[in-house]
Amino acid sequence: MNPLAARYSRFRVAERLLLTGHSHQAWPDVAFEGQQQAWLDAAELVDRKWARAAEVADTVRRHWARLLGDPDGAIALGANTHELVVRLLSALLEPRGTVRARLVTSTGEFHTIRRQFDRLAEAGVEVVKVDARPVETLAARLAAAVDDRTAAVFVSSVLFETSEIVPGLAELAARVRKHGAALVVDAYHHVNVVPFDIDALGLGDQFVVGGGYKYCQLGEGNCFLRLPPGCALRPVITGWFAEFATLKAAPRPGVVAYGEGADRFAGATYDPTAHYRARSVFTFFEDEALTPVRLRAISERQVALLEQAFTALDLDPARVALPGIPAAGRAGFLALRAPEAAALADALRARGVNTDARGEWLRFGPAPYLSDTQLEDAMAALGEVVGR
């Protein structure tokens, strides 16, 4: 048993084969205590709880900024990335009829972007999609698609289907900067499993979006949008929390007021319970010295073990195969190409192995609380399923 597993007793991680680290990691027991504290604060303070909730939210913002290597970053919070992206899009595409009504993205983006951009295309917005693979040239091909009509480029720093790390984002940012557009990087599969340094990646003046449902173990309701310094955008889709800082100022007729920095992208009344849970989990990670560097080392070793165990199975590559992704270019999970990936995932689940599939990709996601034996047992189950 992995010693860390004892801190996740409510999720029973030592008893189950949870190869879902790339999707929904288990929550440490302190997360339950955080949720309880949110309830207790509401019971004691009633409507005065919002001052306490604001303090908790500020703590969560500081942790996101730390994980991005951006301690002074402006961080807007949201229940999910979609609500944050929609507010951002409403600012980037405003006013209606602007010459900058062109969006560039890849075919490898998560459904948040994929579906929303498809609907925008139906509504008449020009959307350019670039093939996500080969990943080695993705950034360069996105850059080539940028022109003076482009409002923004949306791309992931790690592809959600394959775990491939996208190189060349600094060069893409330079191209976007040259044409006066914006770059929005989805770092959901990057943060807290691969160290993220916003300046080293050349993204200091760009947007980054992500959340804590996966590698941060925060659960639902904990997403962020990092704003570039000096961002003065005015989202058309805007909530009344965005004007908190201006409520005491004299109103200007016909002008909607916004706060500064991340306040511009605030929403409206929300459930603060998720932030209490996040604060507890972030503190737990610090107490256990689970830094991004250490978590990357754990992840690399676990993914390598999964890869070795899969190779030893010597399965028919027509049924399931290991793509040629170098270890240094892979993030937090092992993706196997399988024409019947969904059926294999179902068969594995029937044998007690929790994993998932995206299209033709079968995904095995380890987590820092799993033991080597659990990883080996999960891969052995795949051998049994494919052999059968």
Side-chain angles (χ1 to χ4, degrees):
M1 173 175 160
N2 184 327
L4 194 61
R7 305 298 300 276
Y8 298 79
S9 64
R10 294 180 181 273
F11 267 75
R12 297 184 290 111
V13 300
E15 304 168 26
R16 300 191 285 173
L17 297 180
L18 298 177
L19 273 293
T20 54
H22 56 291
S23 179
H24 186 318
Q25 290 207 8
W27 306 345
D29 294 338
V30 296
F32 186 70
E33 299 165 13
Q35 290 207 194
Q36 288 180 309
Q37 190 60 55
W39 198 98
L40 293 171
D41 280 359
E44 177 185 358
L45 302 171
V46 195
D47 202 39
R48 291 183 294 111
K49 72 182 180 184
W50 289 106
R52 184 75 54 81
E55 295 173 2
V56 175
D58 283 341
T59 299
V60 173
R61 286 189 183 91
R62 288 194 294 272
H63 280 290
W64 282 128
R66 172 181 58 82
L67 290 179
L68 295 175
D70 186 29
D72 299 320
I75 306 292
L77 301 178
N80 51 68
T81 57
H82 182 254
E83 69 171 82
L84 295 167
V85 166
V86 165
R87 286 178 212 151
L88 179 56
L89 282 169
S90 76
L92 294 172
L93 297 178
E94 194 265 342
R96 183 181 295 274
T98 178
V99 295
R100 287 191 180 274
R102 183 173 186 266
L103 300 170
V104 177
T105 188
S106 87
T107 59
E109 303 310 307
F110 188 69
H111 308 306
T112 297
I113 296 300
R114 189 267 309 162
R115 176 178 170 82
Q116 189 62 71
F117 277 34
D118 286 351
R119 183 64 183 91
L120 287 170
E122 282 188 349
V125 176
E126 183 183 0
V127 176
V128 178
K129 288 190 178 183
V130 173
D131 286 340
R133 298 176 188 87
V135 71
E136 293 81 6
T137 62
L138 173 55
R141 288 180 285 112
L142 286 168
V146 176
D147 59 22
D148 289 338
R149 297 175 296 118
T150 303
V153 177
F154 284 71
V155 65
S156 297
S157 58
V158 173
L159 299 183
F160 82 98
E161 292 177 312
T162 62
S163 193
E164 293 170 287
I165 299 172
V166 179
L169 293 179
E171 291 74 15
L172 174 58
R175 173 77 174 186
V176 166
R177 192 179 303 120
K178 177 182 177 181
H179 285 274
L183 174 60
V184 185
V185 175
D186 182 347
Y188 220 133
H189 272 283
H190 193 144
V191 173
N192 219 37
V193 69
V194 179
F196 193 102
D197 186 323
I198 199 163
D199 289 326
L201 290 168
L203 303 176
D205 59 346
Q206 306 299 334
F207 295 89
V208 181
V209 67
Y213 188 73
K214 309 180 191 302
Y215 307 100
C216 292
Q217 304 177 5
L218 307 184
E220 302 83 356
N222 282 295
C223 290
F224 69 88
L225 173 66
R226 183 268 183 185
L227 279 61
C231 177
L233 292 175
R234 303 172 73 248
V236 176
I237 308 299
T238 183
W240 70 284
F241 276 37
E243 65 181 12
F244 266 178
T246 70
L247 288 177
K248 295 181 180 180
R252 296 169 57 194
V255 177
V256 176
Y258 290 80
E260 295 300 318
D263 286 348
R264 292 175 168 272
F265 286 82
T269 308
Y270 66 100
D271 182 357
T273 304
H275 292 163
Y276 277 81
R277 186 173 65 240
R279 180 181 63 174
S280 295
V281 175
F282 276 136
T283 300
F284 165 76
F285 270 67
E286 287 190 318
D287 292 345
E288 294 292 329
L290 293 171
T291 64
V293 171
R294 184 181 174 200
L295 289 168
R296 174 59 169 167
I298 294 171
S299 174
E300 285 183 314
R301 194 187 69 79
Q302 290 182 323
V303 172
L305 192 155
L306 285 170
E307 182 176 2
Q308 292 166 6
F310 172 77
T311 301
L313 294 175
D314 193 25
L315 300 176
D316 180 359
R319 295 287 308 282
V320 58
L322 183 70
I325 302 173
R330 183 166 48 208
F333 63 92
L334 181 71
L336 302 173
R337 190 189 296 274
E340 299 178 355
L344 289 176
D346 289 343
L348 285 167
R349 192 172 299 110
R351 288 174 175 258
V353 180
N354 292 272
T355 184
D356 65 13
R358 293 291 183 268
E360 64 175 357
W361 298 97
L362 180 64
R363 307 190 303 177
F364 285 78
Y369 43 74
L370 294 179
S371 70
D372 290 358
T373 299
Q374 288 174 297
L375 302 180
E376 292 164 349
D377 288 348
M379 199 54 72
L382 175 63
E384 295 170 4
V385 167
V386 174
R388 183 185 62 183

